[in-house]
């Protein structure tokens, strides 16, 4: 970069600090982000900011991505570059903003961790040795049986259950929508084991299905802690959090039914694209079967 180009960059940082009153942290981030672009320009012998084209910005961002820089960081870098070019345009130093329509690579969606069927079976058939464990087993069976969110399980009231009809109503789930869900026979049995103990502990005014030893509704954090303690006591090596039971419910149901729309309804997803992440898990399952069974896919003996 020639002297004028370097000066315009420093003028931009001065404007950020003095006129825009940006925080020192923001200015430092902008300096770091635009320094990457400056190094790219030097590698391509680009001496003036007005000579940078959209193709250069794309190539620069692609190079950063190949270096392992994440999507969010690249979005931030592009934001800094756009701001700089907006300043240059305002001050008649360039006619266009080459970063205006450049997008960062999409962040890969992390596949939710799930348990396989045998792991869930081991978790739920470990046996109970106290009233609290009877309650806990009912909670975990219901989690896996009906694919509930943690917040939905905590919010369940006695009035939401129809054990004879093996169903429950989730009231005002995510997005404010109610939905009716089936309850599996093992979850019904576990809840029926818990209800006499609940009656002995509950306060008259408490409507919650799952209550603490003090008779009040069991909160989300306590449910998480109880699952952690359950796993530790039952010798489950893997760290299991409540939503792993929901994810396992979705994955196992999709593997067996291939009914994506049905699983979407059960999970309470407003957009099927949210449910489609489980098709990736299903593909992994199929790929494993393929690798083990296909005569042309089996690995050669070492």
């Amino acid at each position: 970069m020639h002297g004028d180009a370097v000066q315009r960059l420093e003028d931009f940082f001065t404007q950020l600090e003095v006129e825009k009153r940006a925080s020192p942290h923001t200015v430092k981030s902008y300096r770091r982000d635009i320094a990457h672009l400056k190094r790219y320009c030097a590698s391509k012998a680009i001496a003036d900011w007005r000579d940078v084209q959209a193709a250069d910005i794309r190539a620069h961002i692609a190079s950063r991505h190949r270096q392992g820089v994440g999507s969010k960081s690249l979005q931030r870098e592009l934001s800094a570059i756009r701001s700089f070019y907006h300043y240059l345009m305002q001050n008649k130093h360039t006619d266009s903003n080459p970063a205006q329509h450049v997008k960062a690579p999409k962040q890969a969606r992390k596949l939710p961790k799930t348990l396989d069927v045998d792991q869930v079976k081991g978790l739920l058939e470990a046996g109970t040795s106290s009233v609290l464990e009877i309650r806990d087993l009912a909670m975990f069976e219901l989690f896996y049986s009906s694919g509930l969110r943690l917040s939905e399980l905590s919010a369940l009231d006695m009035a939401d259950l129809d054990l004879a009809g093996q169903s429950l109503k989730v009231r005002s789930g995510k997005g404010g929508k109610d939905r009716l869900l089936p309850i599996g026979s093992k979850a019904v049995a576990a809840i029926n084991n818990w209800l006499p103990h609940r009656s002995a502990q509950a306060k008259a005014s408490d409507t919650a299905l799952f209550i603490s030893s003090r008779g009040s509704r069991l909160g989300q954090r306590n449910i998480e802690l109880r699952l952690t303690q359950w796993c530790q006591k039952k010798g489950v090596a893997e760290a299991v959090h409540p939503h792993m039971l929901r994810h396992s419910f979705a994955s196992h149901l999709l593997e067996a039914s291939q009914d994506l729309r049905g699983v979407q309804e059960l999970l309470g997803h407003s957009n099927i694209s949210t449910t489609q992440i489980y098709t990736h898990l299903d593909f992994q399952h199929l790929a494993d079967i393929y690798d083990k069974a296909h005569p042309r896919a089996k690995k050669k003996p070492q």
Side-chain angles (χ1 to χ4, degrees):
M1 284 287 170
H2 58 61
D4 285 348
V6 173
Q7 186 57 53
R8 280 164 191 161
L9 186 55
E10 288 307 313
D11 290 344
F12 167 65
F13 293 133
T14 299
Q15 187 209 42
L16 274 180
E17 291 174 326
V18 179
E19 294 180 31
K20 301 291 186 182
R21 296 185 179 180
S23 70
H25 174 75
T26 299
V27 175
K28 184 179 178 181
S29 295
Y30 274 45
R31 279 189 178 276
R32 182 180 62 244
D33 293 339
I34 298 175
H36 293 305
L37 177 61
K38 192 177 172 184
R39 281 194 288 273
Y40 169 85
C41 291
S43 72
K44 299 297 180 182
I46 299 172
D48 197 295
W49 296 116
R50 74 183 72 190
D51 297 330
V52 177
Q53 305 297 312
D56 293 310
I57 302 295
R58 289 193 190 94
H60 165 58
I61 294 299
S63 173
R64 298 279 292 145
H65 184 57
R66 286 193 296 273
Q67 292 166 16
V69 180
S71 176
K72 287 186 178 179
S73 296
L74 293 177
Q75 287 171 14
R76 191 198 64 232
E77 287 190 24
L78 279 168
S79 178
I81 295 168
R82 288 190 198 103
S83 295
F84 175 48
Y85 270 91
H86 180 69
Y87 163 81
L88 293 177
M89 290 175 69
Q90 279 187 321
N91 289 274
K92 312 297 183 186
H93 296 313
T94 190
D95 297 326
S96 62
N97 189 334
Q100 187 63 45
H101 301 295
V102 178
K103 295 181 179 178
K106 286 186 177 179
Q107 190 164 10
R109 292 184 71 177
K110 288 184 179 178
L111 295 178
K113 287 186 177 181
T114 64
L115 303 168
D116 63 34
V117 174
D118 288 337
Q119 285 175 311
V120 173
K121 184 178 179 181
L123 186 72
L124 299 179
E125 294 184 2
T128 58
S129 58
S130 68
V131 169
L132 290 183
E133 287 193 355
I134 290 171
R135 178 204 62 193
D136 293 347
L137 180 60
M139 288 194 302
F140 306 149
E141 283 280 10
L142 195 53
F143 247 130
Y144 179 64
S145 162
S146 303
L148 296 169
R149 297 180 176 94
L150 177 57
S151 58
E152 293 168 347
L153 184 89
S154 176
L156 275 179
D157 285 338
M158 289 290 295
D160 298 329
L161 289 184
D162 177 5
L163 294 180
Q166 293 195 215
S167 67
L168 65 84
K169 177 173 274 191
V170 174
R171 300 182 188 276
S172 299
K174 198 170 183 180
K177 294 180 180 178
D178 293 353
R179 67 187 193 279
L180 193 65
L181 297 175
I183 307 175
S185 58
K186 289 188 181 296
V188 169
I191 293 168
N192 277 326
N193 285 340
W194 155 242
L195 289 181
H197 300 288
R198 180 202 174 277
S199 298
Q201 294 177 354
K203 298 173 184 175
S205 60
D206 207 310
T207 59
L209 171 59
F210 296 114
I211 58 174
S212 70
S213 55
R214 295 186 299 276
S216 56
R217 184 182 299 274
L218 203 63
Q220 295 180 41
R221 180 60 182 148
N222 278 329
I223 295 172
E224 289 178 313
L225 289 171
R226 290 300 299 178
L227 181 56
T228 298
Q229 290 169 11
W230 176 278
C231 292
Q232 289 172 347
K233 186 173 180 181
K234 305 302 180 185
V236 178
E238 190 167 359
V240 180
H241 58 80
H243 271 90
M244 281 177 74
L245 293 175
R246 174 173 159 88
H247 297 322
S248 301
F249 158 87
S251 181
H252 298 166
L253 203 58
L254 190 58
E255 282 176 18
S257 71
Q258 299 297 310
D259 187 349
L260 187 65
R261 188 69 67 177
V263 174
Q264 177 195 3
E265 291 294 325
L266 290 168
L267 290 171
H269 288 160
S270 58
N271 193 324
I272 201 165
S273 65
T274 311
T275 319
Q276 280 172 333
I277 193 167
Y278 294 106
T279 63
H280 298 294
L281 295 171
D282 186 40
F283 178 78
Q284 289 176 347
H285 169 74
L286 294 174
D288 288 342
I289 292 173
Y290 179 87
D291 288 341
K292 290 172 185 173
H294 196 286
R296 305 293 284 179
K298 291 178 181 176
K299 293 179 180 177
K300 292 179 182 179
Q302 299 296 320

